[in-house]
Amino acid sequence: MPETLAPASVTSPRTLRSVIAASSVGTLIEWYDFYIFGSLSAIISTQFFPKDNPTAALLSALAVFAAGFIVRPFGALVFGRLGDIVGRKYTFMVTLLLMGGSTFLIGLIPGYESWGMLSPLLVLLLRLIQGLALGGEYGGAATYVAEYAPPERRGYFTSWIQTTATLGLFLSLAVIVATRKILGVEDFESWGWRIPFLVSIVLVGTSVFIRLKMNESPVFSKLKTEGKVSKNPLAESFGKRENLKMVLLALLGATAGQGVVWYTGQFYALSFIQKVGHVDFEQSSEIVAIALALATGGFVLFGWLSDRWGRKVIILGGMALAVLTYRPLYQQMYALTDVSTKTEVSTQTSIQNQSTTQVTSYTDGSQVQKISVNNSQGTEVKYVLSLGNTGYWTMVLLIWIQVLYVTMVYGPIAAFLVEMFPTRIRYTSMSLPYHIGNGIFGGLTPFLAVALVEKATANQESQPYLAGLWYPILVAAICFIIGFIYLSSRNRIHE
Amino acid sequence: MNSLKKILGFCWIALGLYIGYDRIVDSLHKIASPQLDDRIFGWVVLLVLTPIIVAGLVLFGYYSLKGEYDEQTN
């Protein structure tokens, strides 16, 4: 495929800053909207999807899987096509409105007890719209910024868009934790969980207002004026061998590995310390939120470096580090929560109605609450661990390292994808490998990892808690090999 | 490098077919599970993840074998 250098951009720094701000704020809100559903899934299940109703339980599982993974690539196709025909600006305005509207409505729907099966059906429908909207948003925002940015600084400017996925997660955790602290656990679980959903409408309104003032991307406008806009971007993107081979290379040599590193560092890590380490919900959320906040600058740093060193070396470097260090990192995380190796200081027991709570303190400052509740099915035992100061900050460091890998693989990926495809089919062509890599390869990481841990536990393997890492390690390793051999070291500047 | 890409083309096709076989066997176990979440997860792996991996790797391997990626290093 021939490479041509793009003409120097004439966009003023002020316009460029406005473009980046408008695109990033909107994408940040989309990620926030998408994550609050996932972060509040336990409460949402009790409100809309009671386990004793098999149909509601089925809808619950579909809401988790279908919206998170399956619908996103469809959103990429639907909105990517629209973006390549109608324009970037119009399309990502539509996705923003769809996402904000559906998030707000989820916050308004009465629970299963009031509306019966209509409630879970509506929630599932809105969750599917969220997935579709997310599938369309990212490609539009990344393409829009990239088409404004001067080619030699494309990695740096698009890296601001890359911060939004992490900041969206951070914002969702922060709003949830703050609302929970202000209202108290009982009120939060009863009605306060709706607040993070309802807040979205204010954020979306602000973002729509900002985006309305923006103009269409200059590169796309030029294409439109010249009458060179693609009439069928889907057929052109995936029906032509010379473009399909690049879509496959983008997926197997970059986005699949990037997706698993992303989900391992930001989601599986949280799930691991909560479920395997039994770390308290609020403390574990705080730990991840701090690590995310401290590492976020890495997106911009590595985006900027990718303009100098090339996208390939940074993205593949992040994958290689993940492959080599995931097991020792998770071994350390496990060790921090393993109370069998800690020295006990004191134990206190309290009995209340049907429950017994035993609090054990350890020399490193950590505490374990063993809560035994007697119910009709027997005794249910729950462990909640609060890490001591040293353990807390060591855990932050271990997750920060993983998020740093995320910033390496993810920071330059927008520029990398944008440069792989020509303007007339760029939105469509880059969105699909991105959302298959992230949504399907990445999104399934926590589920496949848990399945691997269960299998290893059943087979009585040693260190079964590390078995879940084989999936991200293998995908990232294959992706590294493909990327190393097949991707060009030079930044492909393809207009 | 171009010869290596051609040889690797066979490897990607073989890997795609092996992963496809492995995932089908594994997801059929999940689909037979009494747990609803497991069954849905099994179907997602069988109908979504497996076809993407198999078709992706086999087609990528085929293109590699045909020399479609040779120009990347030129």
Side-chain angles (χ1 to χ4, degrees), chain A residues 154-461:
Chain A
R154 202 174 264 150
Y156 170 68
F157 286 117
T158 53
S159 69
W160 292 97
I161 289 283
Q162 302 307 98
T163 63
T164 59
T166 296
L167 288 176
L169 176 60
F170 175 77
L171 186 64
S172 73
L173 289 174
V175 171
I176 289 167
V177 169
T179 314
R180 210 170 117 121
K181 274 192 173 163
I182 292 166
L183 297 178
V185 175
E186 205 173 308
D187 278 349
F188 182 79
E189 290 185 355
S190 161
W191 58 269
W193 62 270
R194 293 178 184 275
I195 291 174
F197 285 91
L198 300 176
V199 161
S200 167
I201 202 73
V202 181
L203 302 173
V204 169
T206 313
S207 181
V208 167
F209 178 73
I210 299 170
R211 280 190 176 180
L212 275 173
K213 293 179 179 174
M214 306 312 297
N215 295 318
E216 182 52 87
S217 124
V219 180
F220 183 81
S221 297
K222 184 168 177 276
L223 208 67
K224 208 166 184 177
T225 312
E226 292 168 353
K228 290 180 182 168
V229 172
S230 172
K231 287 187 173 59
N232 191 346
L234 291 177
E236 228 177 291
S237 293
F238 312 115
K240 288 188 177 173
R241 180 186 44 77
E242 63 270 24
N243 197 59
L244 179 62
K245 73 177 186 186
M246 299 313 287
V247 171
L248 284 171
L249 182 56
L251 173 66
L252 299 171
T255 59
Q258 172 258 303
V260 295
V261 172
W262 206 91
Y263 269 82
T264 305
Q266 300 199 163
F267 289 104
Y268 186 59
L270 178 63
S271 162
F272 185 86
I273 59 174
Q274 282 178 345
K275 290 180 180 163
V276 177
H278 302 289
V279 178
D280 169 61
F281 174 83
E282 275 183 23
Q283 195 183 49
S284 56
S285 301
E286 270 175 26
I287 287 170
V288 173
I290 292 169
L292 292 177
L294 292 175
T296 298
F299 290 111
V300 180
L301 172 69
F302 290 115
W304 175 74
L305 278 176
S306 76
D307 287 329
R308 280 152 180 77
W309 298 352
R311 323 281 180 227
K312 178 179 170 177
V313 67
I314 309 273
I315 294 172
L316 296 188
M319 276 183 218
L321 286 169
V323 168
L324 295 173
T325 63
Y326 269 164
R327 281 180 69 89
L329 283 171
Y330 277 77
Q331 179 60 57
Q332 283 302 310
M333 285 163 68
Y334 180 79
L336 286 174
T337 61
D338 184 8
V339 291
S340 68
T341 58
K342 297 179 193 280
T343 311
E344 269 185 47
V345 175
S346 64
T347 301
Q348 287 180 324
T349 306
S350 62
I351 300 170
Q352 265 190 335
N353 298 328
Q354 300 292 309
S355 75
T356 307
T357 306
Q358 189 183 64
V359 181
T360 309
S361 302
Y362 297 89
T363 47
D364 67 349
S366 57
Q367 261 190 355
V368 171
Q369 286 185 65
K370 182 186 174 189
I371 305 162
S372 310
V373 181
N374 295 318
N375 54 33
S376 55
Q377 280 138 18
T379 305
E380 195 183 318
V381 182
K382 199 172 102 177
Y383 293 91
V384 180
L385 170 70
S386 291
L387 291 167
N389 204 34
T390 310
Y392 182 95
W393 289 105
T394 310
M395 193 66 93
V396 169
L397 174 70
L398 295 170
I399 295 179
W400 177 81
I401 293 170
Q402 293 177 60
V403 183
L404 206 64
Y405 299 163
V406 173
T407 67
M408 289 179 77
V409 296
Y410 197 65
I413 205 89
F416 167 81
L417 289 173
V418 161
E419 289 165 355
M420 276 191 111
F421 304 103
T423 309
R424 51 190 277 118
I425 52 167
R426 182 172 287 150
Y427 201 150
T428 311
S429 298
M430 73 162 283
S431 293
L432 191 72
Y434 173 82
H435 283 289
I436 291 179
N438 279 269
I440 294 175
F441 281 89
L444 286 175
T445 302
F447 302 96
L448 284 162
V450 168
L452 287 169
V453 170
E454 282 173 2
K455 201 171 177 179
T457 308
N459 293 341
Q460 296 184 321
E461 289 174 20

Side-chain angles (χ1 to χ4, degrees), chain B:
Chain B
M1 191 60 97
N2 287 346
S3 310
L4 176 67
K5 285 179 184 173
K6 283 195 172 65
I7 296 165
L8 280 174
F10 283 111
C11 299
W12 304 130
I13 293 170
L15 184 67
L17 295 175
Y18 170 75
I19 293 175
Y21 166 76
D22 183 63
R23 288 296 88 205
I24 288 169
V25 170
D26 202 58
S27 51
L28 287 177
H29 281 293
K30 286 274 178 201
I31 288 165
S33 162
Q35 299 286 326
L36 177 71
D37 284 353
D38 280 351
R39 289 206 300 275
I40 292 184
F41 177 60
W43 281 114
V44 169
V45 171
L46 186 68
L47 299 179
V48 181
L49 183 65
T50 307
I52 289 172
I53 294 177
V54 175
L57 280 171
V58 169
L59 199 54
F60 180 75
Y62 174 73
Y63 282 156
S64 183
L65 201 59
K66 299 291 273 182
E68 290 286 343
Y69 293 107
D70 285 2
E71 60 194 336
Q72 287 284 315
T73 53
N74 292 337

